[in-house]
Structures are given as C-alpha cells and as structure tokens.
Amino acid sequence: MAYSVSSSTLVALFSCFATFLVCHGFAVHHNNPFHHRHHPRFASHNYRDALTKSILYFEGQRSGKLPSSQRITWRRDSGLTDGSAMHVDLVGGYYDAGDNVKFGFPMAFTTTMLSWSVLEFGGLMKGELQNAREAIRWATDYLLKATAHPDTIYVQVGDAKKDHSCWERPEDMDTPRSVYKVDKNSPGSDVAAETAAALAAASLVFRRCDPTYSKLLVRRAIRVFQFANKYRGAYSNGLKKYVCPFYCSYSGYEDELLWGAAWLHKATKNPIYLNYIQVNGQALGAAQFDNTFGWDNKHAGARILLSKVPILASSSFFVKYGIYDRLSIKMIDTVLESQAFLVQKVQSLHDYKDHADNFICSLIPGAPFSSAQYTPGGLLFKMNDSNMQYVTSTSFLLLTYAKYLTYARKIVNCGGTAVTPKRLRNIAKKQVDYLLGDNPLKMSYMVGYGPRYPQRIHHRGSSLPSIAAHPVKIQCSSGFSVMNSQSPNPNILVGAIVGGPDKYDRFPDKRSDYEQSEPATYMNSPLVGALAYLAHSFGQL
C-alpha cells in the first residue's frame, strides 16, 4: 500500500534522520549494517574493557583544575597559571605524552581523531559515549581559549627543552611555562588548519547533545581556517627552536589545509569548502602517494574522509534496512535526487575513492601494490619512534573505510585482487589484537590491560610517587634517580598505549627508552573508535 507524503515532509524526515545518525552513530537503529544477528562466539580479547581504559587514559593526561569526577585519582591540579606569561588564560588541555608540555599541534589532532571515533562508532559505545564526549570537551574547551584572539593561535605552553631537563610531576613543575603563538607575522597553517579540523569535527559530536556549544565550535573553526589559509606557512619555520625536534611540521602544511577544509565541509555543508577542495586539492597534495597517517601527515585520512559515498544514496538503502519502508518509494527517490549531496556530482571528488583505494592497497600483505612492512609477529611497522601511533590510526582508517564500502556496496581492487570490507576489518582486528597481547611476547601494549603490560613507561607522573604518597615537592633533577631505576611505576596510567615493539617484535620495557615506552594521546584517540567497533562486533556492548 502506497502512502502519499509531501516532498517537504520527506525532506524534514531526511534531515532528522541524517542528524540522528551523525550524533549517535549507525548502530542505534535496530536495522543497520552494524547489527550482527549472530555475534561471533568467541573473542580473544575483552574489547569493551580495553575501550573503557582507552578513554580513561585521557584523564591521566589532563592539565588544569581537575573535576570532582576525576577517576585517575593519583593526579592532582597542575598548570593553573598557564598563559599568564602572555596575559591569556591557557589553563586546561592535555599533556601530549610523558612530559609536562602542552603542544597544540598533536593536541588538535588528538581531538580530531577522538571526534571522528565518536562520529563513526559512537552509536556503539553505549555507556562509554559520555566519557568519550567529556574527553573531547576537555580538549575543545582549551582549543577555544587558544583561539580566542582573531588571527592568533597559542600553540604551546612550556619550554620543551627545559621541561625535558627535569623529571618531575606536573603538580610540581617549576620550569618556565613559556607561551608560543602563531599569528599574521609568524604563520602556522598546519597547526591552525588542524585546530580548525578539531573544532569542526567536535562540533558534529555536540550538535544534538549541546547545540549551543556546537555552534560556538563551528563558528570558531571557520574563523581559524580562514586564518590558516590566508596567512600560509609552516609553524615550525618561525618556532623551530621551540617545537623542533618534538613536533616539527615535516610534511608541510598543505595536507592540513585539505584536511581542515574536508572537516569544515562535513560540519557546515557550505559549498565554499567543497569548491575549495576542488580548486586546491591537487596543489595541496591530494594525489600524493604515501601510506602514513598521524599527527603530522593527514593525506591518507583526508582521502578516506573525502571518499565517502553518501549513505542515503538510493531507495535500496531504505528498503534493505527497513527505514521509511511504508513510504512511497518513488517519492523517496525524487526527494533523495533533489537532496543528494553535491559530492556525488563532482567528478574531482570521485578521485578520492581512487586515492583511498591506493592507500588501502599499500597495506594489504601480498597485494600487487603492497608497500607496508610488518614485523615477524604481524605488526604494521613504520618507524622505531612511537610506531604504535601508526598501528592505531591505520586500524581506524581500515574500519572506517570498510564501513563506507559496505554502505556503498563497493570493494577495493588492488591490481586485480579484490579486497572486501571484511578483509579490511580482519586486518584491523589483527593489528588491535597484537596490541592487546596476541604477539610473540604475549605483552599488552595498553597499560593496565591483560595479565602482562609495560611496567616502566616513560611518563613522569606515572613513574614518580603521587602527591598522596609523597606530599613533599620532588625537585627537578632528583626525579632522574627514579627515571633511571628498574622499579615499576607506582601509578598505573590505565589505558595508555606505548610506542611499542621494534621491527623484530622486541620490547625492553625500559623507562629511558622513550621511543618504545612513552605513551601519547594521539596513539589512543584512533583506537577508541576501533575498540568500539570490535566490542560491538563480538557482542560485548
């Protein structure tokens, strides 16, 4: 029986449904592609527990005045005068890793990836969704402070070299809390565009839950991106002696401009950003071949994001998943045709599917265009320094692209080898399983997860006695006796992902070995989404 429904009614329904999906993820509706009627019987890992811990970790990295709800209780307030050197309020945000510096570039990327995790898989997180939102908001509250002045972004608090000459708790730090900024005279398109991406992505997370905050975030994202694009340059040019070698912009700023524009298009649907991507995409390196995705290089992530085929593309989606199945199919098709995203009409954006496929093919072991290296135990290996960041970010992209391909009913063709979404999910799962303990050492590289995990992580607050256990101030240099000791860290930084093993699957668990033993926020943020998907897939959520 056909029902007569006005076009305006359908448009309203379409809009509401799309917003519902954006805010809550796809698993909220009982008829969706993530709903497994028969969950796999056995999972080798408790992904739900790992998800909880991966989000909890961010509370251990907090700077500023801690809330009464703080769950990692060995931490205390710190950095309460941050920004005062420049007469601005920069209290809050996250310490990026095991030191006490607030680096804006990796903090913004962490925020973008936490937000993307929630946008793609938040509907699967159940009770952890609110914790994930709070982790995002702790960052965005800070990024709003850092971008409060037009054409200026405060991108770092703390003198990294002097901070690294001490081994002290954040609660005790007495090294200079110097403030560094980018502005018209000393631009930083990379850090600015990443900050714009973070604010835009987070605005989507809060669109339904806190619309006022969401609008504030997107308005700021627009302004910050305008600054990034108008005053071009890499931030490590003007701030080299302060940000290098810690977070130099090695890949340039073009990838961030493309990435930022993609997120602003997603957040605003303003055609100005689509046009920007069309006009500038090639100049910004859209077709550049690389298979690295992390805090510095965003090309692979931008390709995946821009390759997305609109999920509400035809009536077959509605029929297959039982959505509006009582409405006139002909009317649905008419409305969807008129409401279809412009992306479908733009051939230049279809190229991003090809670029994304090339990235995927580079990762497939044995495929004709495979270029990725794996350890004997099966871990994706990019470099000695903090390799696990590439494992978590790549796993997230694999699962996200598998999701997009499933909706679009497409596969990846790697030189005649057909690669299905299921194959991508299996590769991602293998990487996450290795991280959680399925490796030659039977070592979980997430602190606090499983029976065996790193005991001597390169992290000041974790390695030194807490304020509760040792109320007396620990002086700058005296902490190095602890850093150089073999004793386990007294405070467990639950959920922290460390740099991980070397290319031979070896891990010394040595505190001074920051390349392998230091955790960082940008290692955890993509893993949040991946763990949500896996926990749901195995019926744990």
Side-chain angles (χ1 to χ4, degrees), residues 150-152 182-187 227 231:
D151 295 337
T152 301
V182 296
D183 55 24
K184 297 177 184 179
N185 301 317
S186 181
F227 164 68
Y231 302 99

Side-chain angles (χ1 to χ4, degrees), residues 84-381:
S84 59
M86 296 281 282
H87 307 290
V88 291
D89 175 10
L90 295 176
V91 176
Y94 290 114
Y95 302 115
D96 72 298
D99 53 25
N100 300 323
V101 184
K102 294 192 299 203
F103 293 98
F105 196 17
M107 195 193 307
F109 177 70
T110 293
T111 310
T112 308
M113 293 309 297
L114 266 177
S115 298
W116 200 3
S117 286
V118 168
L119 293 174
E120 298 296 350
F121 304 110
L124 314 179
M125 290 181 185
K126 302 226 173 144
E128 290 303 325
L129 178 57
Q130 185 55 33
N131 289 326
R133 285 196 190 114
E134 289 177 8
I136 293 166
R137 189 159 188 154
W138 193 267
T140 51
D141 282 351
Y142 175 82
L143 294 178
L144 287 171
K145 293 179 177 183
T147 58
H149 299 151
D151 295 337
T152 301
I153 303 179
Y154 297 98
V155 298
Q156 184 173 317
V157 179
D159 183 315
K161 290 183 174 67
K162 291 181 178 178
D163 178 272
H164 287 190
S165 70
C166 293
W167 192 267
E168 58 187 356
R169 302 175 295 200
E171 295 84 0
D172 286 340
M173 61 186 172
D174 46 17
T175 52
R177 300 302 286 170
S178 307
V179 176
Y180 305 96
K181 67 178 180 177
V182 296
D183 55 24
K184 297 177 184 179
N185 301 317
S186 181
S189 300
D190 31 31
V191 66
E194 182 60 67
T195 302
L199 294 167
S203 76
L204 291 166
V205 171
F206 295 103
R207 178 165 287 176
R208 281 284 299 268
C209 327
D210 191 341
T212 301
Y213 190 62
S214 173
K215 289 173 184 175
L216 173 61
L217 292 173
V218 78
R219 284 196 301 268
R220 186 65 57 82
I222 291 168
R223 192 178 83 187
V224 171
F225 185 79
Q226 288 172 342
F227 164 68
N229 187 52
K230 185 176 181 180
Y231 302 99
R232 293 196 179 190
Y235 91 128
S236 50
N237 289 344
L239 296 175
K240 185 173 183 178
K241 65 179 180 178
Y242 306 113
V243 303
C244 296
F246 315 103
Y247 293 103
C248 281
S249 184
Y250 297 105
S251 70
Y253 60 79
E254 292 84 1
D255 53 316
E256 277 83 22
L257 288 174
L258 183 65
W259 173 247
W263 276 109
L264 276 160
H265 169 64
K266 188 174 176 68
T268 67
K269 294 296 182 285
N270 188 327
I272 190 174
Y273 298 108
L274 192 60
N275 182 65
Y276 179 92
I277 293 164
Q278 286 179 257
V279 172
N280 298 287
Q282 294 305 308
L284 298 179
Q288 181 177 317
F289 183 81
D290 54 54
N291 58 358
T292 300
F293 179 55
W295 62 263
D296 182 40
N297 193 328
K298 317 298 161 46
H299 278 129
R303 289 177 209 144
I304 298 291
L305 189 64
L306 289 169
S307 72
K308 185 176 182 180
V309 178
I311 61 165
L312 302 181
S314 70
S315 59
S316 62
F317 179 91
F318 287 81
V319 173
K320 182 176 180 181
Y321 298 117
I323 302 164
Y324 305 150
D325 51 319
R326 299 173 65 195
L327 300 176
S328 166
I329 297 303
K330 184 175 181 180
M331 182 65 76
I332 291 173
D333 277 337
T334 301
V335 174
L336 286 173
E337 179 64 27
S338 67
Q339 293 292 312
F341 293 159
L342 187 57
V343 175
Q344 291 180 292
K345 309 296 184 185
V346 181
Q347 182 56 43
S348 63
L349 289 193
H350 282 275
D351 294 341
Y352 287 93
K353 167 70 165 63
D354 297 332
H355 298 327
D357 285 357
N358 290 337
F359 167 68
I360 295 299
C361 292
S362 76
L363 298 168
I364 306 298
F369 305 115
S370 178
S371 60
Q373 292 184 322
Y374 292 85
T375 67
L379 184 71
L380 175 68
F381 193 84

Side-chain angles (χ1 to χ4, degrees), residues 25-40:
F26 297 100
V28 180
H29 195 286
H30 72 281
N31 287 315
N32 68 78
F34 281 155
H35 181 71
H36 298 268
R37 295 184 180 180
H38 301 288
H39 291 293

